[in-house]
Amino acid sequence: MPEEILRIEGLRVEATIHPPGERPRAVVLVHEASLTLAPGRVLGLIGESGAGKSTIGLAALGYGRGGVRLTAGRVVLGGTEIRAAGPDVLRDLRGRRVTYVAQSAAAAFNPAKRLMEQVIEATLRHGLATRAEAEARAVALFRSLGLPDPENFGRRFPHQVSGGQLQRAMTAMALCPRPDLVVFDEPTTALDVTTQIDVLAAIKRAIRETGVAALYITHDLAVVAQVADEILVLRHGRMVETGPTGTIITAPHEDYTRALVSVRAIAHPEAPPADPVLTVEGVTARYPGVPIDVLSDVTVALAPGQTLAVVGESGSGKSTLARVITGLLPPVAGAIRFAGRTLPPRLADRTREDLREIQMIYQMADVAMNPRQTVRTIIGRPLEFYFGMKGAARDARVQELLDAIELGQGYADRYPAELSGGQKQRVSIARALAARPRVIICDEVTSALDPLVADGILKLLLDLQAREGVAYLFITHDIATVRAIADAIAVMHRGRVVRQGRKGQVLAPPFDDYTDLLLSSVPEMRTGWLEEVIAHRKMESAGN
Amino acid sequence: MRMPLSAAIGLFLTALYFLAAIFADFIAPYGMAEVVGDVWEPMSAEHWLGTDSIGRDLLTRMIYGGQTTILIATAGTLLSFVTGSILGFTAAVAGGWVDQALSRFVDLMMSIPSLIFALVVLSVMPVSLPIIILVMGFLDATRVFRLSRAVALDITVMDYVEAARLRGEGRGWIIFREILPNALSPLVAEMGLRFIFMVLFISTLSFLGLGVQPPMADWGGIVKENKDGIVWGVPAALVPAVAIATLAISVNLVADWILNRTASLKGGRGA
């Protein structure tokens, strides 16, 4: 057993919550967490939201976010017991022995200062190096992290570099003082898949080159499998399972881990082609006052009772397509045909029937429902509005819809704040279904949800499709979701459809360059995948 | 949840003032304009607060004055909130030229100091209670308009408002069912404040002689009638001043409490 950098024993973390209308009470966020980390090793902390993984990560820095307290156990960082340490000791440890990489680099950098200033700040503050030495080290880190023009990169301001580059700059910031331990808190979660792979590879290389130990926090098991030596699975603040990465992903012991590993294993055979119910023909769209085509000449078709997945990264125009179809953004050119008729481009000109037959489900269920309306009003309003249902008839239908989304009794009188994230999304689905639409536009409906919850939503959507015969226009950036749910696929890139067809065709070679990049960037649940992809890409670019 | 002490005090005093105003005719010991004693008599068993500059009972004047002041302030506040918030919400929801026209008109109104505007209007119009209420209500509506438009703009970009639009809901439903319930908390807080500004405003107008006309009593007018007494050590002018101040504070204590309560409702916007 080599010496260890970090030892956490029986850590218990509590917080005081202030539920409205009740007395404040303490809740336990982390129960009895224990782990050890040897120098140069990477431990992946994985779990869904609320699992306590970030809390444990921050505890390694002796920090509790927003009134969170470490109430029992020991946190020993390089021989220093952190829980007993005073502010001076902690200040000395943080930034020298242990550093932190946050999820949102954009929010973590000071927009008014140049990157170099911020990257070397901790090193200088601790007197670990002279300015010249620190800058030289920062440049070396920029180079090993694969940042463009490493000599001059530090002169830029945060807004002058891309999100992926900023995340790598933050990794450089964390590595610059030569710490013993770096805590990575979901460093790639906010990035597009094609960017994520570069950042992931850069982080992995930097970890290996500097020999630093790392805690890598993420909710994505496939991501952590690429960088971690060992994995600790957490749920509701308790440790579920721990072991070497290979064992966890190939032979998990616990049911919960097994569920995480097999997530997105929904098999959905592709339906045969059919005449479309909704077609978007040659649509070009711009936002008022911006002379850029957000969509240019987009043509897609959606067959009745089937799912068309519109895939693309942020900025590809996929959400704009939804706005054009719903009439919120009238197109500059092109037409939308629905059930044999051409829809008026403007929302105001559409009939109530037009509106009823195309419904929408949003990414963020929290803001898609009025917080001051009960579930009964939220689901009941479309019934009242489109079908004139009132009183008992309406309530009965609301209950029917609640049963259909597997929520059952007792939910009708709740407010959205009293529902979990997955339940909220289910209520959104029920609201859309209440209108008995022929098409539902699903805009990233599972992206804000934990994997297991998202799985439940996808299964529900497929069930409902089979039962009600509704067609989905499914907007997503996640290829795994596409595989699970689509019948046909349209790949979008910079406002254009670069590839479309039946699922089988689109996901089978030969690929165009962009689709190849997109498909090969999706992390796979096995070790060594990252290296293969990187090697494959190097070969390709060498071949070209 | 127990009512906090501050809210209890505020509620007690506010209720006291409002009840005194409503039942003025029953509880006032003397007639409103009745001369019952000497000039500026000190406090005594017959005259609890003494008498005023021409020998009327000050407590009676205070009770009737409170009636006028509170009536005008309440009616003015209601008027300003109904017009201001409906127009503000409409501007936010409709956008485009409707918003431009309303907002620029309000800017224009606000560029004229409201006291001067009120003085000019009241000097050419007959000064009566309805006119005073209308002038004050519409002047204050500009402030309410700005606030409610700003609050509503934050709410109209929410997906649930977009969902209502996609459903085909009319402007009425969007304003009253989607936006208003979520805008209520800041509006209630503002209402407490605006009510007090109304009290101050009507008191100022009366003090300047363009508000409530004698012999009708109101708190600003009582200050004016008795201000000369301060030189002689007569506290009569301070009594309405204290009444204005305590009403201001207690109404806001109540508004704060209501704000806390509504913000922490189930499904509220958070405390």
Side-chain angles (χ1 to χ4, degrees), chain A residues 20 323 326 328 355 362 367-373 381 385-386 415 417-418 431, chain B residues 158-160 162-163 166-169 173 177-178 181-182 262 264-269:
Chain A
R323 296 181 73 79
T326 53
L328 287 169
L355 298 174
Y362 293 84
V367 289
M369 287 184 284
N370 191 331
R372 302 265 171 177
Q373 290 176 357
R381 179 60 187 169
F385 187 77
Y386 294 122
Y415 285 89
E418 297 167 296
R431 174 173 68 181
Chain B
M158 292 288 181
D159 285 346
Y160 57 82
E162 188 182 300
L166 288 180
R167 203 186 303 140
E169 299 283 3
W173 172 278
R177 301 301 297 276
E178 304 288 346
N182 292 291
T262 51
S264 61
L265 270 181
K266 282 181 291 188
R269 282 154 66 92

mmCIF file of all heavy atoms in Angstrom, chain A residues 20 323 326 328 355 362 367-373 381 385-386 415 417-418 431, chain B residues 158-160 162-163 166-169 173 177-178 181-182 262 264-269:
data_model
loop_
_atom_site.group_PDB
_atom_site.id
_atom_site.type_symbol
_atom_site.label_atom_id
_atom_site.label_comp_id
_atom_site.label_asym_id
_atom_site.label_seq_id
_atom_site.Cartn_x
_atom_site.Cartn_y
_atom_site.Cartn_z
ATOM 1 N N PRO A 20 -40.414 26.118 3.398
ATOM 2 C CA PRO A 20 -41.353 27.207 3.644
ATOM 3 C C PRO A 20 -42.476 26.757 4.564
ATOM 4 O O PRO A 20 -43.035 25.679 4.392
ATOM 5 C CB PRO A 20 -41.882 27.539 2.243
ATOM 6 C CG PRO A 20 -41.457 26.416 1.373
ATOM 7 C CD PRO A 20 -40.269 25.788 1.994
ATOM 8 N N ARG A 323 -39.220 26.284 -33.186
ATOM 9 C CA ARG A 323 -39.916 27.574 -33.131
ATOM 10 C C ARG A 323 -40.586 27.887 -34.464
ATOM 11 O O ARG A 323 -41.646 28.499 -34.492
ATOM 12 C CB ARG A 323 -38.943 28.691 -32.753
ATOM 13 C CG ARG A 323 -38.374 28.529 -31.360
ATOM 14 C CD ARG A 323 -37.426 29.668 -31.007
ATOM 15 N NE ARG A 323 -38.130 30.913 -30.745
ATOM 16 C CZ ARG A 323 -38.744 31.199 -29.609
ATOM 17 N NH1 ARG A 323 -38.752 30.322 -28.640
ATOM 18 N NH2 ARG A 323 -39.346 32.340 -29.444
ATOM 19 N N THR A 326 -43.770 25.633 -34.724
ATOM 20 C CA THR A 326 -44.869 26.074 -33.865
ATOM 21 C C THR A 326 -45.393 27.447 -34.249
ATOM 22 O O THR A 326 -46.418 27.879 -33.735
ATOM 23 C CB THR A 326 -44.428 26.138 -32.390
ATOM 24 O OG1 THR A 326 -43.251 26.943 -32.308
ATOM 25 C CG2 THR A 326 -44.146 24.773 -31.840
ATOM 26 N N LEU A 328 -43.778 30.337 -33.778
ATOM 27 C CA LEU A 328 -43.224 31.430 -32.977
ATOM 28 C C LEU A 328 -42.259 32.271 -33.800
ATOM 29 O O LEU A 328 -42.093 33.456 -33.553
ATOM 30 C CB LEU A 328 -42.493 30.876 -31.745
ATOM 31 C CG LEU A 328 -43.395 30.336 -30.645
ATOM 32 C CD1 LEU A 328 -42.585 29.578 -29.616
ATOM 33 C CD2 LEU A 328 -44.152 31.469 -29.971
ATOM 34 N N LEU A 355 -53.302 24.554 -33.668
ATOM 35 C CA LEU A 355 -52.519 24.620 -32.443
ATOM 36 C C LEU A 355 -52.668 23.342 -31.636
ATOM 37 O O LEU A 355 -51.715 22.826 -31.067
ATOM 38 C CB LEU A 355 -52.964 25.812 -31.595
ATOM 39 C CG LEU A 355 -52.773 27.181 -32.257
ATOM 40 C CD1 LEU A 355 -53.371 28.263 -31.383
ATOM 41 C CD2 LEU A 355 -51.293 27.449 -32.482
ATOM 42 N N TYR A 362 -41.060 20.783 -23.154
ATOM 43 C CA TYR A 362 -39.837 21.574 -23.028
ATOM 44 C C TYR A 362 -38.735 20.842 -22.267
ATOM 45 O O TYR A 362 -38.976 19.888 -21.540
ATOM 46 C CB TYR A 362 -40.134 22.880 -22.296
ATOM 47 C CG TYR A 362 -41.018 23.805 -23.075
ATOM 48 C CD1 TYR A 362 -42.401 23.668 -23.032
ATOM 49 C CD2 TYR A 362 -40.475 24.804 -23.851
ATOM 50 C CE1 TYR A 362 -43.218 24.515 -23.749
ATOM 51 C CE2 TYR A 362 -41.278 25.663 -24.570
ATOM 52 C CZ TYR A 362 -42.650 25.511 -24.516
ATOM 53 O OH TYR A 362 -43.443 26.349 -25.226
ATOM 54 N N VAL A 367 -39.693 25.441 -15.576
ATOM 55 C CA VAL A 367 -40.180 26.718 -16.078
ATOM 56 C C VAL A 367 -41.244 26.525 -17.152
ATOM 57 O O VAL A 367 -41.778 27.492 -17.656
ATOM 58 C CB VAL A 367 -39.035 27.602 -16.616
ATOM 59 C CG1 VAL A 367 -38.189 28.112 -15.472
ATOM 60 C CG2 VAL A 367 -38.201 26.886 -17.630
ATOM 61 N N ALA A 368 -41.547 25.273 -17.468
ATOM 62 C CA ALA A 368 -42.585 25.034 -18.470
ATOM 63 C C ALA A 368 -43.960 24.951 -17.829
ATOM 64 O O ALA A 368 -44.960 24.852 -18.503
ATOM 65 C CB ALA A 368 -42.297 23.758 -19.246
ATOM 66 N N MET A 369 -43.981 24.962 -16.486
ATOM 67 C CA MET A 369 -45.267 24.924 -15.794
ATOM 68 C C MET A 369 -45.361 26.103 -14.861
ATOM 69 O O MET A 369 -44.408 26.436 -14.169
ATOM 70 C CB MET A 369 -45.375 23.629 -14.988
ATOM 71 C CG MET A 369 -45.592 22.429 -15.863
ATOM 72 S SD MET A 369 -45.836 20.978 -14.863
ATOM 73 C CE MET A 369 -44.195 20.671 -14.348
ATOM 74 N N ASN A 370 -46.545 26.732 -14.844
ATOM 75 C CA ASN A 370 -46.751 27.869 -13.961
ATOM 76 C C ASN A 370 -46.667 27.410 -12.500
ATOM 77 O O ASN A 370 -47.453 26.555 -12.079
ATOM 78 C CB ASN A 370 -48.124 28.474 -14.246
ATOM 79 C CG ASN A 370 -48.314 29.806 -13.566
ATOM 80 O OD1 ASN A 370 -47.725 30.062 -12.521
ATOM 81 N ND2 ASN A 370 -49.127 30.646 -14.161
ATOM 82 N N PRO A 371 -45.713 27.960 -11.725
ATOM 83 C CA PRO A 371 -45.545 27.492 -10.348
ATOM 84 C C PRO A 371 -46.759 27.760 -9.463
ATOM 85 O O PRO A 371 -46.874 27.193 -8.383
ATOM 86 C CB PRO A 371 -44.331 28.272 -9.848
ATOM 87 C CG PRO A 371 -44.177 29.418 -10.776
ATOM 88 C CD PRO A 371 -44.736 28.986 -12.091
ATOM 89 N N ARG A 372 -47.664 28.623 -9.893
ATOM 90 C CA ARG A 372 -48.836 28.952 -9.079
ATOM 91 C C ARG A 372 -50.078 28.183 -9.516
ATOM 92 O O ARG A 372 -51.182 28.528 -9.137
ATOM 93 C CB ARG A 372 -49.128 30.446 -9.159
ATOM 94 C CG ARG A 372 -47.980 31.297 -8.711
ATOM 95 C CD ARG A 372 -48.138 31.671 -7.267
ATOM 96 N NE ARG A 372 -46.929 32.324 -6.784
ATOM 97 C CZ ARG A 372 -46.800 32.814 -5.568
ATOM 98 N NH1 ARG A 372 -47.786 32.722 -4.719
ATOM 99 N NH2 ARG A 372 -45.683 33.365 -5.187
ATOM 100 N N GLN A 373 -49.915 27.212 -10.402
ATOM 101 C CA GLN A 373 -51.072 26.415 -10.799
ATOM 102 C C GLN A 373 -50.871 24.978 -10.318
ATOM 103 O O GLN A 373 -49.763 24.470 -10.332
ATOM 104 C CB GLN A 373 -51.231 26.418 -12.325
ATOM 105 C CG GLN A 373 -51.659 27.773 -12.868
ATOM 106 C CD GLN A 373 -51.714 27.807 -14.381
ATOM 107 O OE1 GLN A 373 -51.386 26.840 -15.042
ATOM 108 N NE2 GLN A 373 -52.114 28.936 -14.928
ATOM 109 N N ARG A 381 -56.394 22.534 -18.182
ATOM 110 C CA ARG A 381 -56.632 23.699 -19.030
ATOM 111 C C ARG A 381 -56.752 23.354 -20.519
ATOM 112 O O ARG A 381 -57.685 23.828 -21.176
ATOM 113 C CB ARG A 381 -55.533 24.740 -18.793
ATOM 114 C CG ARG A 381 -55.673 25.993 -19.654
ATOM 115 C CD ARG A 381 -56.992 26.714 -19.399
ATOM 116 N NE ARG A 381 -57.186 27.805 -20.338
ATOM 117 C CZ ARG A 381 -58.306 28.484 -20.500
ATOM 118 N NH1 ARG A 381 -59.358 28.170 -19.761
ATOM 119 N NH2 ARG A 381 -58.390 29.450 -21.371
ATOM 120 N N PHE A 385 -59.881 24.189 -22.727
ATOM 121 C CA PHE A 385 -59.662 25.146 -23.804
ATOM 122 C C PHE A 385 -60.024 24.559 -25.160
ATOM 123 O O PHE A 385 -60.666 25.209 -25.967
ATOM 124 C CB PHE A 385 -58.199 25.572 -23.781
ATOM 125 C CG PHE A 385 -57.874 26.683 -24.740
ATOM 126 C CD1 PHE A 385 -58.207 27.991 -24.454
ATOM 127 C CD2 PHE A 385 -57.221 26.407 -25.929
ATOM 128 C CE1 PHE A 385 -57.902 29.014 -25.326
ATOM 129 C CE2 PHE A 385 -56.917 27.425 -26.819
ATOM 130 C CZ PHE A 385 -57.260 28.732 -26.516
ATOM 131 N N TYR A 386 -59.608 23.311 -25.394
ATOM 132 C CA TYR A 386 -59.836 22.737 -26.720
ATOM 133 C C TYR A 386 -61.145 21.972 -26.814
ATOM 134 O O TYR A 386 -61.757 21.900 -27.860
ATOM 135 C CB TYR A 386 -58.696 21.788 -27.099
ATOM 136 C CG TYR A 386 -57.367 22.458 -27.296
ATOM 137 C CD1 TYR A 386 -56.268 22.078 -26.554
ATOM 138 C CD2 TYR A 386 -57.203 23.464 -28.254
ATOM 139 C CE1 TYR A 386 -55.035 22.678 -26.740
ATOM 140 C CE2 TYR A 386 -55.981 24.077 -28.443
ATOM 141 C CZ TYR A 386 -54.897 23.674 -27.685
ATOM 142 O OH TYR A 386 -53.683 24.280 -27.875
ATOM 143 N N TYR A 415 -48.662 21.279 -6.357
ATOM 144 C CA TYR A 415 -48.031 22.326 -7.151
ATOM 145 C C TYR A 415 -46.726 21.778 -7.735
ATOM 146 O O TYR A 415 -46.144 20.845 -7.172
ATOM 147 C CB TYR A 415 -47.729 23.546 -6.280
ATOM 148 C CG TYR A 415 -48.954 24.345 -5.947
ATOM 149 C CD1 TYR A 415 -49.708 24.055 -4.815
ATOM 150 C CD2 TYR A 415 -49.371 25.378 -6.768
ATOM 151 C CE1 TYR A 415 -50.843 24.783 -4.504
ATOM 152 C CE2 TYR A 415 -50.502 26.115 -6.476
ATOM 153 C CZ TYR A 415 -51.231 25.816 -5.338
ATOM 154 O OH TYR A 415 -52.359 26.534 -5.054
ATOM 155 N N ALA A 417 -43.788 22.682 -7.498
ATOM 156 C CA ALA A 417 -42.676 22.658 -6.545
ATOM 157 C C ALA A 417 -42.690 21.391 -5.691
ATOM 158 O O ALA A 417 -41.693 21.049 -5.065
ATOM 159 C CB ALA A 417 -42.725 23.887 -5.650
ATOM 160 N N GLU A 418 -43.846 20.710 -5.650
ATOM 161 C CA GLU A 418 -43.941 19.502 -4.832
ATOM 162 C C GLU A 418 -43.678 18.236 -5.636
ATOM 163 O O GLU A 418 -43.960 17.144 -5.176
ATOM 164 C CB GLU A 418 -45.330 19.432 -4.191
ATOM 165 C CG GLU A 418 -45.583 20.581 -3.250
ATOM 166 C CD GLU A 418 -47.033 20.695 -2.849
ATOM 167 O OE1 GLU A 418 -47.872 20.938 -3.716
ATOM 168 O OE2 GLU A 418 -47.321 20.515 -1.661
ATOM 169 N N ARG A 431 -49.795 17.136 -20.103
ATOM 170 C CA ARG A 431 -50.408 18.372 -20.622
ATOM 171 C C ARG A 431 -50.442 18.342 -22.147
ATOM 172 O O ARG A 431 -51.428 18.737 -22.768
ATOM 173 C CB ARG A 431 -49.613 19.579 -20.130
ATOM 174 C CG ARG A 431 -50.110 20.873 -20.762
ATOM 175 C CD ARG A 431 -49.458 22.077 -20.168
ATOM 176 N NE ARG A 431 -48.043 22.141 -20.490
ATOM 177 C CZ ARG A 431 -47.231 23.093 -20.067
ATOM 178 N NH1 ARG A 431 -47.697 24.048 -19.283
ATOM 179 N NH2 ARG A 431 -45.971 23.103 -20.392
ATOM 180 N N MET B 158 -40.784 33.083 -19.722
ATOM 181 C CA MET B 158 -40.831 31.735 -19.177
ATOM 182 C C MET B 158 -41.534 30.796 -20.161
ATOM 183 O O MET B 158 -42.457 31.193 -20.865
ATOM 184 C CB MET B 158 -41.612 31.725 -17.860
ATOM 185 C CG MET B 158 -40.910 32.442 -16.744
ATOM 186 S SD MET B 158 -39.517 31.468 -16.202
ATOM 187 C CE MET B 158 -38.888 32.478 -14.902
ATOM 188 N N ASP B 159 -41.091 29.542 -20.141
ATOM 189 C CA ASP B 159 -41.680 28.572 -21.064
ATOM 190 C C ASP B 159 -43.172 28.382 -20.828
ATOM 191 O O ASP B 159 -43.912 28.069 -21.748
ATOM 192 C CB ASP B 159 -40.961 27.220 -20.931
ATOM 193 C CG ASP B 159 -39.597 27.245 -21.593
ATOM 194 O OD1 ASP B 159 -39.341 28.185 -22.365
ATOM 195 O OD2 ASP B 159 -38.786 26.342 -21.327
ATOM 196 N N TYR B 160 -43.637 28.566 -19.572
ATOM 197 C CA TYR B 160 -45.057 28.304 -19.351
ATOM 198 C C TYR B 160 -45.927 29.357 -20.013
ATOM 199 O O TYR B 160 -47.059 29.078 -20.400
ATOM 200 C CB TYR B 160 -45.401 28.130 -17.861
ATOM 201 C CG TYR B 160 -45.069 29.241 -16.912
ATOM 202 C CD1 TYR B 160 -45.898 30.338 -16.771
ATOM 203 C CD2 TYR B 160 -43.932 29.166 -16.116
ATOM 204 C CE1 TYR B 160 -45.610 31.336 -15.869
ATOM 205 C CE2 TYR B 160 -43.631 30.157 -15.214
ATOM 206 C CZ TYR B 160 -44.466 31.248 -15.082
ATOM 207 O OH TYR B 160 -44.176 32.228 -14.190
ATOM 208 N N GLU B 162 -44.967 30.806 -22.856
ATOM 209 C CA GLU B 162 -44.884 30.392 -24.259
ATOM 210 C C GLU B 162 -45.851 29.239 -24.508
ATOM 211 O O GLU B 162 -46.544 29.205 -25.528
ATOM 212 C CB GLU B 162 -43.456 29.962 -24.603
ATOM 213 C CG GLU B 162 -43.266 29.717 -26.088
ATOM 214 C CD GLU B 162 -41.861 29.243 -26.404
ATOM 215 O OE1 GLU B 162 -40.914 29.998 -26.102
ATOM 216 O OE2 GLU B 162 -41.712 28.136 -26.940
ATOM 217 N N ALA B 163 -45.907 28.299 -23.549
ATOM 218 C CA ALA B 163 -46.818 27.161 -23.703
ATOM 219 C C ALA B 163 -48.256 27.654 -23.803
ATOM 220 O O ALA B 163 -49.040 27.152 -24.615
ATOM 221 C CB ALA B 163 -46.656 26.198 -22.525
ATOM 222 N N LEU B 166 -48.765 29.063 -27.244
ATOM 223 C CA LEU B 166 -48.871 28.009 -28.251
ATOM 224 C C LEU B 166 -50.218 27.314 -28.166
ATOM 225 O O LEU B 166 -50.723 26.797 -29.150
ATOM 226 C CB LEU B 166 -47.743 26.983 -28.069
ATOM 227 C CG LEU B 166 -46.347 27.455 -28.456
ATOM 228 C CD1 LEU B 166 -45.338 26.347 -28.238
ATOM 229 C CD2 LEU B 166 -46.312 27.908 -29.898
ATOM 230 N N ARG B 167 -50.792 27.298 -26.968
ATOM 231 C CA ARG B 167 -52.101 26.686 -26.801
ATOM 232 C C ARG B 167 -53.149 27.557 -27.486
ATOM 233 O O ARG B 167 -54.211 27.080 -27.846
ATOM 234 C CB ARG B 167 -52.414 26.572 -25.307
ATOM 235 C CG ARG B 167 -53.439 25.514 -24.955
ATOM 236 C CD ARG B 167 -53.782 25.577 -23.479
ATOM 237 N NE ARG B 167 -52.610 25.439 -22.649
ATOM 238 C CZ ARG B 167 -52.395 26.143 -21.539
ATOM 239 N NH1 ARG B 167 -53.262 27.033 -21.127
ATOM 240 N NH2 ARG B 167 -51.312 25.955 -20.840
ATOM 241 N N GLY B 168 -52.832 28.835 -27.695
ATOM 242 C CA GLY B 168 -53.765 29.740 -28.337
ATOM 243 C C GLY B 168 -54.522 30.610 -27.357
ATOM 244 O O GLY B 168 -55.521 31.224 -27.718
ATOM 245 N N GLU B 169 -54.062 30.660 -26.094
ATOM 246 C CA GLU B 169 -54.742 31.453 -25.075
ATOM 247 C C GLU B 169 -54.777 32.932 -25.454
ATOM 248 O O GLU B 169 -53.848 33.451 -26.069
ATOM 249 C CB GLU B 169 -54.017 31.327 -23.725
ATOM 250 C CG GLU B 169 -53.957 29.926 -23.174
ATOM 251 C CD GLU B 169 -55.274 29.480 -22.554
ATOM 252 O OE1 GLU B 169 -56.252 30.253 -22.609
ATOM 253 O OE2 GLU B 169 -55.308 28.358 -22.025
ATOM 254 N N TRP B 173 -56.176 35.648 -20.457
ATOM 255 C CA TRP B 173 -55.721 34.493 -19.687
ATOM 256 C C TRP B 173 -54.235 34.647 -19.355
ATOM 257 O O TRP B 173 -53.802 34.399 -18.226
ATOM 258 C CB TRP B 173 -55.954 33.191 -20.460
ATOM 259 C CG TRP B 173 -55.341 31.983 -19.804
ATOM 260 C CD1 TRP B 173 -54.037 31.588 -19.894
ATOM 261 C CD2 TRP B 173 -55.984 31.057 -18.931
ATOM 262 N NE1 TRP B 173 -53.826 30.464 -19.137
ATOM 263 C CE2 TRP B 173 -55.004 30.112 -18.533
ATOM 264 C CE3 TRP B 173 -57.295 30.924 -18.450
ATOM 265 C CZ2 TRP B 173 -55.303 29.046 -17.676
ATOM 266 C CZ3 TRP B 173 -57.576 29.848 -17.599
ATOM 267 C CH2 TRP B 173 -56.593 28.931 -17.225
ATOM 268 N N ARG B 177 -53.991 34.924 -15.536
ATOM 269 C CA ARG B 177 -53.802 33.588 -14.986
ATOM 270 C C ARG B 177 -52.349 33.133 -14.997
ATOM 271 O O ARG B 177 -51.941 32.338 -14.168
ATOM 272 C CB ARG B 177 -54.665 32.572 -15.746
ATOM 273 C CG ARG B 177 -56.142 32.892 -15.683
ATOM 274 C CD ARG B 177 -56.647 32.927 -14.237
ATOM 275 N NE ARG B 177 -56.515 31.654 -13.584
ATOM 276 C CZ ARG B 177 -57.400 30.667 -13.674
ATOM 277 N NH1 ARG B 177 -58.497 30.837 -14.370
ATOM 278 N NH2 ARG B 177 -57.207 29.532 -13.055
ATOM 279 N N GLU B 178 -51.573 33.601 -15.964
ATOM 280 C CA GLU B 178 -50.182 33.144 -16.011
ATOM 281 C C GLU B 178 -49.246 34.153 -15.344
ATOM 282 O O GLU B 178 -48.363 33.781 -14.579
ATOM 283 C CB GLU B 178 -49.735 32.916 -17.465
ATOM 284 C CG GLU B 178 -50.610 31.947 -18.264
ATOM 285 C CD GLU B 178 -50.436 30.491 -17.846
ATOM 286 O OE1 GLU B 178 -49.476 30.169 -17.131
ATOM 287 O OE2 GLU B 178 -51.303 29.667 -18.224
ATOM 288 N N PRO B 181 -50.481 35.936 -11.018
ATOM 289 C CA PRO B 181 -50.181 35.202 -9.786
ATOM 290 C C PRO B 181 -48.692 35.177 -9.464
ATOM 291 O O PRO B 181 -48.312 35.144 -8.301
ATOM 292 C CB PRO B 181 -50.683 33.777 -10.079
ATOM 293 C CG PRO B 181 -51.646 33.927 -11.192
ATOM 294 C CD PRO B 181 -51.175 35.083 -12.003
ATOM 295 N N ASN B 182 -47.856 35.218 -10.498
ATOM 296 C CA ASN B 182 -46.417 35.164 -10.254
ATOM 297 C C ASN B 182 -45.816 36.545 -10.010
ATOM 298 O O ASN B 182 -44.680 36.651 -9.583
ATOM 299 C CB ASN B 182 -45.726 34.503 -11.442
ATOM 300 C CG ASN B 182 -46.070 33.038 -11.538
ATOM 301 O OD1 ASN B 182 -45.658 32.252 -10.705
ATOM 302 N ND2 ASN B 182 -46.868 32.677 -12.514
ATOM 303 N N THR B 262 -46.923 35.096 1.025
ATOM 304 C CA THR B 262 -47.229 34.708 -0.346
ATOM 305 C C THR B 262 -46.012 34.120 -1.033
ATOM 306 O O THR B 262 -46.122 33.242 -1.858
ATOM 307 C CB THR B 262 -47.744 35.903 -1.174
ATOM 308 O OG1 THR B 262 -46.826 36.974 -1.019
ATOM 309 C CG2 THR B 262 -49.107 36.319 -0.742
ATOM 310 N N SER B 264 -43.808 32.283 0.311
ATOM 311 C CA SER B 264 -43.522 30.923 0.763
ATOM 312 C C SER B 264 -44.725 30.002 0.560
ATOM 313 O O SER B 264 -44.744 28.914 1.082
ATOM 314 C CB SER B 264 -43.102 30.928 2.228
ATOM 315 O OG SER B 264 -44.134 31.441 3.014
ATOM 316 N N LEU B 265 -45.695 30.438 -0.214
ATOM 317 C CA LEU B 265 -46.787 29.535 -0.564
ATOM 318 C C LEU B 265 -46.241 28.332 -1.306
ATOM 319 O O LEU B 265 -45.213 28.419 -1.949
ATOM 320 C CB LEU B 265 -47.771 30.237 -1.504
ATOM 321 C CG LEU B 265 -48.935 30.999 -0.904
ATOM 322 C CD1 LEU B 265 -49.758 31.567 -2.036
ATOM 323 C CD2 LEU B 265 -49.782 30.074 -0.075
ATOM 324 N N LYS B 266 -46.951 27.253 -1.219
ATOM 325 C CA LYS B 266 -46.557 26.122 -2.038
ATOM 326 C C LYS B 266 -46.493 26.580 -3.479
ATOM 327 O O LYS B 266 -47.412 27.214 -3.973
ATOM 328 C CB LYS B 266 -47.594 25.003 -1.915
ATOM 329 C CG LYS B 266 -47.471 24.221 -0.650
ATOM 330 C CD LYS B 266 -48.489 23.123 -0.609
ATOM 331 C CE LYS B 266 -49.894 23.687 -0.458
ATOM 332 N NZ LYS B 266 -50.878 22.646 -0.230
ATOM 333 N N GLY B 267 -45.409 26.269 -4.141
ATOM 334 C CA GLY B 267 -45.316 26.674 -5.525
ATOM 335 C C GLY B 267 -45.003 28.139 -5.683
ATOM 336 O O GLY B 267 -45.152 28.699 -6.750
ATOM 337 N N GLY B 268 -44.574 28.781 -4.587
ATOM 338 C CA GLY B 268 -44.225 30.186 -4.685
ATOM 339 C C GLY B 268 -42.887 30.376 -5.355
ATOM 340 O O GLY B 268 -42.221 29.424 -5.748
ATOM 341 N N ARG B 269 -42.491 31.622 -5.490
ATOM 342 C CA ARG B 269 -41.227 31.900 -6.148
ATOM 343 C C ARG B 269 -40.062 31.795 -5.182
ATOM 344 O O ARG B 269 -38.966 32.228 -5.467
ATOM 345 C CB ARG B 269 -41.266 33.297 -6.770
ATOM 346 C CG ARG B 269 -42.036 33.335 -8.065
ATOM 347 C CD ARG B 269 -42.580 34.712 -8.309
ATOM 348 N NE ARG B 269 -41.513 35.668 -8.519
ATOM 349 C CZ ARG B 269 -41.037 35.976 -9.706
ATOM 350 N NH1 ARG B 269 -41.481 35.376 -10.769
ATOM 351 N NH2 ARG B 269 -40.088 36.869 -9.842
#
